[in-house]
Every structure is written in C-alpha cells, then in structure tokens.
Amino acid sequence: MPVRAAIAAAVAAGIMTVCTATLSAATLRSATVITSDVVKLSDLFADLEPRQDKIIGPAPKPGASIYVGGRQLIAIADQYGVDWLDESPSAMATITRSGRVLDKEFFVGLVQKSLPDIGTGPVSIDLADFHPITVASDDPKPVVLSDVDWDQRTGRFSATVYRTHPTGDITQDSFLLTGIVRAPRRVLVFSRSLPAGAVISASDVNIDESYTGYATAKIFTDETEVDGMTLLHTVVAGEPVLERDLHRTVLMHKGDPVLIVFTAPGVHLTATGRALEDGGNGQYVHALNLASSMIVTGRVAGASQVDVDAGSGAVPSDPNMLRRLTASARANTRSDLSIR
C-alpha cells in the first residue's frame, strides 16, 4: 500500500503518534513544458524522493502535447512507488514539448547562405508552396539543405531539406524546397521607350548594376554588342536588352565589294576585297583580299568597309570560293593597295 496510507493506518491503531512535522508527499503537475526528447517522472510529479526520478517514456514531437489521464497517472505512481497526494482518477496532466517554428524567413536565409554565387547585394527569394515546420527549441542546427540546384538564367532553384533529428514521419523528416531566386546582376537595359524597327545606338541603352528581374533569354552587358541592331517589337524604359528582342541590321552582304582597312601605329593600309558573309555594324566578318587572295577577319565599319585589327592573322582562300566571287563581281576586281 502507499506510504501515506500505511502511516495513516498505524496512527489510527495507536502504534504511532503524529508528530508536528509535515509528511512528504508528491503533488501532480497539471501542466509541464519540457525541452528534452524524453519524459521524466518529475515532469508529472513534484516533490519526489531523492533519486526517485526516472525516464518513463519518449517526449512528444516539438510543439506537440500529450495528455495523461487520472487512471494512467495512478498506474504510473504505483509502478514507480510515488506517494501521490490527492490521488484521483479524474486528474489530468499535460506535457508539452517546447518548439521553434522554422518559418519562411528562416528558409530564405538558409537558401541565401547555400548559394555561394549569389553575390552580396539585395536578393529576392520567393518560396513555392511553403509550409513551416516545428523543431526542438534547443536544436542549434535543426535542418540541412542538400542537392541545391540554381539556374541563374531563370532564377529557379530546388533543394532537399533534411531534419538533423528525424521524427519518424517521412513526410516531415525530408521535403523538397523550391522557388525563385533573383540576385542582382549587371545588365544592359533600355534607357527610353522605343518602337519596333528602331535601330539601337549607345544612347538608347544603359547599364543597370543591380537588376533582379526575370529573363528567359540571353542578357547583354555591353552597349557595343547591340549598337546598330534593330528592335523586333516595342520596348519600354528599364526593360533588359534581350537577344530575342533584336536582330542584326545587315549593312554588308556576302559578295559585296569592300574596302579592307588595316591600321597600326605609323601604318595605314587599304585594299579592295569582297565580303564573304553578311554583317551588321560592329560585327566581325570574313573578307577576301583580292590582291593577295588571303582571307582576313575584321569588324564591319559601314556598308562597304571592314576594319582589320592589328593582331588579326590572314589565311589562304579556297580556290573554288575565289572563282565564285570573281564570277559574281559587279565591278573591276583589280586590287588597289596604297600606303598613306
């Protein structure tokens, strides 16, 4: 029988006399918050005897609670020899495990740390179909990201989240995290609105050093790359300059007579030639030097001029190609080389 009941019987029989000291007895804790992953006897009862405390079972999941009814409490007290004051089958005890909610802000920070190429500027991260999870409040590293994949062109990313301390629930111990990351980039944008068919010049574009918008095509970063190109449709100021929005304005056509210009310190040479391919302003094309039958590479500097860089080399032409160009010539193919 419980200690208190035995003492009461002894007093009633006159075997013991009651002293003035208060007898020691355990009291029920009606509500307890724990941080551990196990439940101890002291989580249910206060004022236990020395060395009486023991682990009696697993704790609930972080943020969850378990409820212990009176009959189960009586069974636990009897099993572990607890002299429970006010023992009652109608009693109830609640044990809650404290938890920390990992919200969207937490995972946004985790994603940002996991992308080394994201830069140091402002970053926009949007998580798709996100649901917060609850973890132990004292867990310094509750989750880890694995298999992180980020497409910098589209901004889409995905990663697998794993709990460092699994709960046994496969739907919660790991899950897929997806979303869009928009990191600042240095891109070329339109400085003003332009209609379809407009020919782009350097004054029509400028560099945005911290563009975070979404783009599905190649983005330009240098105004010289688009100088002389034609717009395929209307654009507005601030839009990125995309390859799909432009086409090269053809100034020079294959077979056209051209002036090949070579300039170096103290030297300026010119020669007549033929364009071997179509080219727009600023675009590199191949041209045939009719005097030497050599093929050179130069930049289109107008409808009939190719500027050859000082470090550019020449290669022998193909005889068949030379005959085709000669046959299609519309003017005298006699070369004219001069030094000015």
Coordinates of all heavy atoms in Angstrom, one line a residue, residues 175-225:
F175 N 11.8 17.0 -47.2 CA 10.9 17.5 -48.2 C 11.6 18.4 -49.2 O 12.7 18.9 -49.0 CB 9.7 18.3 -47.5 CG 10.2 19.5 -46.7 CD1 10.3 20.7 -47.2 CD2 10.5 19.3 -45.4 CE1 10.7 21.8 -46.5 CE2 10.9 20.4 -44.6 CZ 11.0 21.6 -45.1
L176 N 11.0 18.6 -50.4 CA 11.6 19.4 -51.4 C 11.2 20.9 -51.3 O 10.1 21.2 -51.1 CB 11.1 18.9 -52.8 CG 11.7 19.5 -54.1 CD1 13.2 19.1 -54.1 CD2 11.0 19.1 -55.3
L177 N 12.2 21.7 -51.3 CA 12.1 23.2 -51.2 C 12.4 23.8 -52.6 O 13.4 23.6 -53.2 CB 13.0 23.7 -50.2 CG 12.8 25.2 -49.8 CD1 11.5 25.4 -49.0 CD2 14.0 25.7 -48.9
T178 N 11.4 24.5 -53.2 CA 11.6 25.1 -54.5 C 11.2 26.6 -54.5 O 10.5 27.0 -53.5 CB 10.7 24.4 -55.6 OG1 9.3 24.5 -55.2 CG2 11.1 22.9 -55.6
G179 N 11.6 27.3 -55.5 CA 11.3 28.7 -55.6 C 12.1 29.5 -56.6 O 12.7 28.8 -57.5
I180 N 12.1 30.8 -56.5 CA 12.7 31.6 -57.5 C 13.7 32.5 -56.7 O 13.3 33.1 -55.7 CB 11.8 32.5 -58.2 CG1 10.8 31.7 -59.1 CG2 12.5 33.5 -59.2 CD1 11.4 30.9 -60.2
V181 N 15.0 32.6 -57.2 CA 16.0 33.5 -56.6 C 16.3 34.5 -57.6 O 16.7 34.2 -58.7 CB 17.2 32.7 -56.2 CG1 18.3 33.7 -55.7 CG2 16.9 31.7 -55.1
R182 N 16.1 35.8 -57.2 CA 16.5 36.9 -58.1 C 17.7 37.6 -57.5 O 17.4 38.5 -56.6 CB 15.3 37.8 -58.4 CG 14.2 37.1 -59.2 CD 13.1 38.0 -59.6 NE 12.0 37.4 -60.3 CZ 11.0 36.8 -59.8 NH1 10.8 36.8 -58.5 NH2 10.1 36.2 -60.6
A183 N 18.9 37.3 -58.0 CA 20.0 38.0 -57.4 C 20.4 39.2 -58.3 O 20.1 39.1 -59.5 CB 21.2 37.0 -57.4
P184 N 21.0 40.2 -57.8 CA 21.3 41.4 -58.6 C 22.4 41.0 -59.7 O 23.3 40.3 -59.4 CB 21.9 42.4 -57.6 CG 22.3 41.6 -56.4 CD 21.4 40.4 -56.4
R185 N 22.2 41.5 -60.9 CA 23.1 41.3 -62.0 C 23.4 42.6 -62.7 O 22.5 43.5 -62.7 CB 22.5 40.3 -63.0 CG 22.4 38.9 -62.4 CD 21.9 37.9 -63.5 NE 20.5 38.2 -63.7 CZ 19.7 37.5 -64.6 NH1 20.3 36.7 -65.4 NH2 18.4 37.7 -64.7
R186 N 24.5 42.7 -63.3 CA 24.8 43.8 -64.2 C 24.3 43.6 -65.6 O 24.9 42.7 -66.3 CB 26.4 44.0 -64.1 CG 26.8 45.3 -64.9 CD 28.4 45.4 -64.8 NE 28.8 46.6 -65.3 CZ 29.1 46.8 -66.6 NH1 29.0 45.8 -67.4 NH2 29.6 48.0 -67.0
V187 N 23.3 44.3 -66.0 CA 22.7 44.0 -67.3 C 22.5 45.3 -68.0 O 22.4 46.4 -67.4 CB 21.4 43.3 -67.2 CG1 21.6 41.9 -66.4 CG2 20.3 44.1 -66.5
L188 N 22.3 45.2 -69.3 CA 22.0 46.4 -70.2 C 20.5 46.5 -70.3 O 19.8 45.5 -70.5 CB 22.6 46.1 -71.6 CG 22.8 47.3 -72.5 CD1 23.9 48.2 -71.9 CD2 23.3 46.8 -73.9
V189 N 20.0 47.7 -70.0 CA 18.6 48.0 -70.1 C 18.3 49.2 -71.0 O 19.2 50.0 -71.3 CB 18.0 48.3 -68.7 CG1 18.1 47.1 -67.7 CG2 18.6 49.6 -68.1
F190 N 17.1 49.2 -71.5 CA 16.7 50.4 -72.4 C 16.6 51.6 -71.5 O 15.9 51.6 -70.5 CB 15.4 50.0 -73.1 CG 15.6 49.0 -74.2 CD1 15.1 47.7 -73.9 CD2 16.2 49.2 -75.4 CE1 15.2 46.7 -74.8 CE2 16.4 48.2 -76.3 CZ 15.9 46.9 -76.0
S191 N 17.1 52.7 -72.0 CA 17.0 54.0 -71.3 C 15.8 54.8 -71.6 O 15.4 55.7 -70.9 CB 18.3 54.8 -71.5 OG 18.5 55.0 -72.9
R192 N 15.1 54.4 -72.7 CA 13.8 55.0 -73.0 C 13.0 54.0 -73.9 O 13.5 53.0 -74.3 CB 14.1 56.3 -73.8 CG 14.9 56.1 -75.1 CD 15.4 57.4 -75.7 NE 16.2 57.2 -76.9 CZ 15.7 57.3 -78.1 NH1 14.4 57.6 -78.3 NH2 16.4 57.2 -79.2
S193 N 11.7 54.4 -74.0 CA 10.8 53.5 -74.8 C 11.2 53.7 -76.3 O 11.5 54.8 -76.8 CB 9.4 53.9 -74.6 OG 9.0 53.7 -73.3
L194 N 11.1 52.6 -77.1 CA 11.5 52.6 -78.5 C 10.5 51.7 -79.3 O 10.0 50.7 -78.8 CB 12.9 52.1 -78.7 CG 14.0 52.9 -78.1 CD1 15.3 52.1 -78.1 CD2 14.2 54.2 -78.9
P195 N 10.2 52.2 -80.5 CA 9.2 51.4 -81.3 C 9.9 50.2 -82.0 O 11.1 50.2 -82.2 CB 8.7 52.4 -82.3 CG 9.8 53.4 -82.5 CD 10.5 53.4 -81.1
A196 N 9.1 49.3 -82.5 CA 9.6 48.2 -83.3 C 10.3 48.8 -84.6 O 9.8 49.8 -85.2 CB 8.5 47.2 -83.7
G197 N 11.4 48.2 -85.0 CA 12.1 48.7 -86.2 C 13.2 49.7 -85.9 O 13.9 50.1 -86.8
A198 N 13.2 50.2 -84.6 CA 14.2 51.2 -84.3 C 15.6 50.6 -84.3 O 15.8 49.5 -83.9 CB 13.9 51.9 -82.9
V199 N 16.6 51.4 -84.8 CA 18.0 50.9 -84.8 C 18.6 51.4 -83.5 O 18.6 52.6 -83.2 CB 18.7 51.4 -86.0 CG1 20.2 51.0 -86.0 CG2 18.1 50.9 -87.3
I200 N 19.2 50.5 -82.7 CA 19.7 50.8 -81.4 C 21.1 51.5 -81.5 O 22.0 51.1 -82.3 CB 19.9 49.5 -80.6 CG1 18.6 48.8 -80.5 CG2 20.5 49.9 -79.2 CD1 17.5 49.6 -79.8
S201 N 21.2 52.6 -80.7 CA 22.5 53.2 -80.6 C 22.9 53.2 -79.1 O 22.1 52.9 -78.2 CB 22.5 54.7 -81.1 OG 21.6 55.4 -80.3
A202 N 24.1 53.6 -78.8 CA 24.6 53.6 -77.4 C 23.8 54.5 -76.5 O 23.7 54.2 -75.3 CB 26.1 54.1 -77.4
S203 N 23.1 55.5 -77.0 CA 22.3 56.4 -76.2 C 21.0 55.8 -75.8 O 20.3 56.4 -75.0 CB 22.1 57.8 -76.9 OG 21.4 57.5 -78.1
D204 N 20.6 54.7 -76.5 CA 19.3 54.1 -76.2 C 19.4 53.1 -75.0 O 18.3 52.6 -74.6 CB 18.8 53.4 -77.4 CG 18.6 54.3 -78.6 OD1 18.1 55.4 -78.4 OD2 18.9 53.9 -79.7
V205 N 20.6 52.8 -74.5 CA 20.7 51.8 -73.5 C 21.6 52.3 -72.4 O 22.4 53.3 -72.6 CB 21.3 50.5 -74.1 CG1 20.3 49.9 -75.0 CG2 22.6 50.7 -74.8
N206 N 21.6 51.7 -71.3 CA 22.5 52.0 -70.2 C 22.6 50.8 -69.3 O 21.8 49.8 -69.3 CB 22.0 53.2 -69.3 CG 20.7 53.0 -68.7 OD1 19.6 53.2 -69.3 ND2 20.7 52.6 -67.4
I207 N 23.6 50.8 -68.4 CA 23.9 49.6 -67.5 C 23.1 49.8 -66.2 O 23.2 50.8 -65.6 CB 25.4 49.5 -67.2 CG1 26.1 49.1 -68.5 CG2 25.6 48.5 -66.2 CD1 25.8 47.7 -69.0
D208 N 22.4 48.7 -65.8 CA 21.8 48.6 -64.5 C 22.6 47.7 -63.7 O 22.7 46.5 -64.0 CB 20.3 48.1 -64.6 CG 19.6 48.0 -63.3 OD1 20.3 48.1 -62.2 OD2 18.4 47.9 -63.3
E209 N 23.3 48.2 -62.7 CA 24.2 47.4 -61.9 C 23.6 46.4 -60.9 O 24.2 45.5 -60.4 CB 25.2 48.3 -61.1 CG 26.0 49.3 -61.9 CD 27.2 48.5 -62.6 OE1 27.4 47.4 -62.3 OE2 27.8 49.1 -63.5
S210 N 22.3 46.6 -60.6 CA 21.7 45.7 -59.7 C 20.3 45.2 -60.1 O 19.3 45.3 -59.4 CB 21.5 46.4 -58.3 OG 20.8 47.6 -58.5
Y211 N 20.2 44.7 -61.3 CA 19.0 44.2 -61.9 C 18.6 42.9 -61.3 O 19.5 42.0 -61.2 CB 19.1 44.1 -63.4 CG 17.9 43.6 -64.1 CD1 16.8 44.5 -64.4 CD2 17.7 42.3 -64.5 CE1 15.6 44.1 -65.0 CE2 16.6 41.9 -65.1 CZ 15.5 42.8 -65.4 OH 14.4 42.3 -66.0
T212 N 17.4 42.7 -60.8 CA 17.0 41.5 -60.2 C 15.7 40.9 -60.9 O 15.1 40.0 -60.4 CB 16.6 41.7 -58.7 OG1 15.6 42.7 -58.6 CG2 17.8 42.2 -57.9
G213 N 15.4 41.4 -62.1 CA 14.3 40.9 -62.8 C 14.5 39.5 -63.4 O 15.6 38.9 -63.3
Y214 N 13.5 39.0 -64.0 CA 13.5 37.6 -64.6 C 13.6 37.7 -66.1 O 13.0 38.6 -66.7 CB 12.1 36.9 -64.2 CG 12.0 35.6 -64.9 CD1 12.8 34.5 -64.5 CD2 11.0 35.4 -65.9 CE1 12.6 33.3 -65.1 CE2 10.8 34.2 -66.4 CZ 11.6 33.1 -66.1 OH 11.4 31.9 -66.6
A215 N 14.5 36.9 -66.6 CA 14.8 36.9 -68.1 C 14.9 35.5 -68.5 O 15.6 34.7 -67.9 CB 16.0 37.8 -68.4
T216 N 14.3 35.2 -69.7 CA 14.4 33.8 -70.2 C 15.3 33.7 -71.5 O 15.4 32.7 -72.1 CB 13.0 33.4 -70.6 OG1 12.4 34.3 -71.6 CG2 12.1 33.3 -69.4
A217 N 16.0 34.8 -71.8 CA 16.9 34.8 -73.0 C 18.2 35.5 -72.6 O 18.4 36.0 -71.5 CB 16.2 35.5 -74.1
K218 N 19.1 35.4 -73.5 CA 20.5 36.0 -73.2 C 20.3 37.5 -72.9 O 19.6 38.2 -73.6 CB 21.4 35.8 -74.5 CG 22.7 36.5 -74.3 CD 23.5 36.4 -75.6 CE 24.8 37.2 -75.4 NZ 25.6 37.2 -76.7
I219 N 21.0 37.9 -71.9 CA 21.1 39.3 -71.5 C 22.4 39.9 -71.9 O 23.4 39.3 -71.7 CB 20.8 39.5 -70.0 CG1 19.4 39.0 -69.6 CG2 21.1 40.9 -69.5 CD1 19.1 39.1 -68.1
F220 N 22.4 41.1 -72.4 CA 23.6 41.8 -72.8 C 24.1 42.6 -71.7 O 23.4 43.1 -70.8 CB 23.3 42.7 -74.0 CG 23.0 42.0 -75.3 CD1 21.7 41.8 -75.7 CD2 24.0 41.5 -76.1 CE1 21.3 41.2 -76.8 CE2 23.7 40.8 -77.3 CZ 22.3 40.6 -77.6
T221 N 25.5 42.8 -71.6 CA 26.1 43.6 -70.6 C 27.0 44.7 -71.2 O 27.7 45.4 -70.4 CB 27.0 42.7 -69.7 OG1 27.9 42.0 -70.5 CG2 26.1 41.7 -69.0
D222 N 27.0 44.8 -72.5 CA 27.9 45.8 -73.1 C 27.1 46.5 -74.3 O 26.6 45.8 -75.1 CB 29.2 45.1 -73.6 CG 30.2 46.1 -74.2 OD1 29.8 47.3 -74.4 OD2 31.3 45.7 -74.4
E223 N 27.1 47.8 -74.2 CA 26.3 48.5 -75.3 C 26.9 48.3 -76.7 O 26.2 48.4 -77.7 CB 26.2 50.0 -75.0 CG 27.5 50.7 -74.8 CD 28.0 50.7 -73.4 OE1 27.5 50.0 -72.6 OE2 28.9 51.5 -73.1
T224 N 28.2 48.0 -76.8 CA 28.8 47.8 -78.1 C 28.2 46.6 -78.8 O 28.3 46.4 -80.0 CB 30.3 47.8 -78.0 OG1 30.7 46.6 -77.2 CG2 30.9 49.0 -77.4
E225 N 27.7 45.6 -78.0 CA 27.2 44.4 -78.5 C 25.9 44.6 -79.3 O 25.5 43.8 -80.2 CB 26.9 43.4 -77.4 CG 28.1 42.9 -76.7 CD 27.8 41.8 -75.6 OE1 27.4 42.2 -74.5 OE2 27.9 40.6 -75.9

